[in-house]
């Protein structure tokens, strides 16, 4: 009797751990990070940005060269989460989506580097400059 009870208990624990693993794999439960890095020249004007989604306005931010702005979130259950940012640097401006849960493949880490010639993207969690590729120009 005790052996059957122990097997049942262990089976329940294994099932519970499996379910936790599967739930974490579901995208709307995974945490996503977006990082915006100001990689503009050291003596240049500050970068102004405003980021928002349908439900969350992250406000206006001023980033000086070398600074970063970041936030974390979970996508909604309907997989319709979309964040966009508007960037201003001197006379240049640009706006684009920085996260869209409908993209074919989404990353848990979304790094954007703002440079003199445009915007660069990587998804490396340890080094935001690793595997960088140009996303768009100003």
């Amino acid at each position: 009797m005790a052996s059957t009870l122990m097997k049942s208990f262990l089976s329940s624990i294994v099932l519970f751990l499996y379910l936790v693993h599967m739930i974490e794999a579901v995208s709307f439960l995974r945490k996503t990070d977006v990082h915006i890095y100001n990689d503009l020249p050291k003596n240049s004007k500050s970068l102004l940005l405003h980021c928002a989604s349908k439900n969350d306005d992250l406000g206006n931010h001023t980033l000086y060269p070398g600074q970063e702005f970041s936030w974390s979130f979970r996508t909604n259950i309907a997989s319709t989460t979309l964040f966009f940012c508007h960037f201003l640097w001197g006379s240049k401006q640009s706006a684009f989506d920085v996260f869209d849960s409908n993209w074919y493949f989404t990353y848990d880490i979304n790094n954007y580097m703002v440079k003199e010639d445009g915007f660069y993207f990587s998804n490396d969690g340890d080094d935001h400059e690793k595997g960088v590729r140009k996303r768009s120009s100003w």
Side-chain angles (χ1 to χ4, degrees), residues 4-51:
T4 304
L5 188 59
M6 184 60 118
K7 284 182 186 178
S8 177
F9 177 72
L10 289 174
S11 295
S12 296
I13 288 176
V14 169
L15 178 62
F16 174 76
L17 292 174
Y18 174 76
L19 290 174
V20 166
H21 173 74
M22 293 307 293
I23 287 171
E24 183 62 29
V26 176
S27 66
F28 71 88
L29 294 176
R30 284 192 335 238
K31 190 168 103 176
T32 300
D33 297 315
V34 175
H35 301 267
I36 311 289
Y37 295 92
N38 182 342
D39 284 346
L40 294 164
K42 291 190 187 291
N43 294 325
S44 68
K45 292 184 177 188
S46 59
L47 173 70
L48 305 176
L49 65 109
H50 180 244
C51 299

Side-chain angles (χ1 to χ4, degrees), residues 95-132:
F96 56 86
D97 297 341
V98 294
F99 178 85
D100 184 341
S101 58
N102 290 319
W103 288 341
Y104 174 70
F105 185 76
T106 56
Y107 303 103
D108 294 336
I109 304 288
N110 298 272
N111 299 311
Y112 291 91
M113 281 76 47
V114 182
K115 297 181 180 275
E116 213 168 354
D117 67 335
F119 302 86
Y120 291 77
F121 174 83
S122 83
N123 64 318
D124 191 280
D126 296 320
D127 180 1
H128 72 275
E129 294 181 337
K130 184 177 177 184
V132 97

Side-chain angles (χ1 to χ4, degrees), residues 71-106:
W71 70 97
S72 299
F73 60 94
R74 296 190 196 305
T75 60
N76 62 32
I77 196 162
S79 289
T80 59
T81 303
L82 182 139
F83 276 94
F84 62 90
C85 293
H86 184 216
F87 301 89
L88 294 166
W89 180 52
S91 63
K92 296 181 180 184
Q93 65 176 314
S94 184
F96 56 86
D97 297 341
V98 294
F99 178 85
D100 184 341
S101 58
N102 290 319
W103 288 341
Y104 174 70
F105 185 76
T106 56

